[in-house]
Amino acid sequence: MPELPDVEIFKRYFNSTALHRKIIAVKVEDNRVLENVSAEELNSGLTGKSFESTKRHGKYLFALTGSGPVMVLHFGMTGFLRYYKDTPEENSHFRVIFSFKGGYNLAYDNQRLLGKVTLSAGVG
């Protein structure tokens, strides 16, 4: 499992790359990382919105959209985030890809499939 400092680093990385960027599509490459949400629900719940802030609670990262759902990320043992403009050379472990206006993408990479991505109505 990633340690608390790792998740804080993921939070800072997410903030520096993905905040305030309009989401134009969410592509789920592997449904096994989804928890209590379908690929269609994740795409429709986030497309057209932007992540406005993040919170970390323990080993969970919450990405708030302002007026919409909250995305919850858990990284498991091998999960991390990767921000890129063009298709990277190696992307075999990208499980969910968030595409932003302007051509940039944020990938949730999770080799061992121990992490999870879901949507929540809010953060307590």
Side-chain angles (χ1 to χ4, degrees):
M1 300 292 265
E3 297 301 321
L4 296 178
D6 296 335
V7 182
E8 182 63 28
I9 289 169
F10 299 153
K11 177 183 183 290
R12 292 177 187 183
Y13 184 79
F14 190 99
N15 289 349
S16 69
T17 59
L19 286 188
H20 312 296
R21 300 185 192 282
K22 185 174 183 177
I23 302 164
I24 59 170
V26 178
K27 183 177 180 185
V28 176
E29 297 285 350
D30 195 326
N31 287 324
R32 294 178 289 176
V33 298
L34 300 181
E35 185 171 65
N36 300 321
V37 67
S38 69
E40 295 79 20
E41 291 169 326
L42 189 66
N43 184 42
S44 66
L46 296 175
T47 298
K49 296 179 175 49
S50 62
F51 297 116
E52 297 300 322
S53 63
T54 59
K55 292 185 179 186
R56 183 187 57 79
H57 183 78
K59 295 185 179 185
Y60 290 89
L61 176 62
F62 299 88
L64 292 76
T65 59
S67 63
V70 175
M71 182 178 65
V72 183
L73 298 173
H74 187 273
F75 296 94
M77 290 177 67
T78 59
F80 65 94
L81 300 170
R82 183 159 176 200
Y83 186 70
Y84 61 96
K85 182 157 176 92
D86 298 313
T87 303
E89 292 177 19
E90 178 63 40
N91 65 359
S92 63
H93 303 301
F94 287 6
R95 307 304 181 185
V96 181
I97 301 169
F98 305 91
S99 297
F100 300 107
K101 184 177 179 182
Y104 285 91
N105 303 282
L106 180 72
Y108 172 79
D109 189 302
N110 199 302
Q111 179 180 358
R112 296 176 76 187
L113 298 167
L114 298 173
K116 295 295 176 194
V117 177
T118 193
L119 290 180
S120 175
V123 177

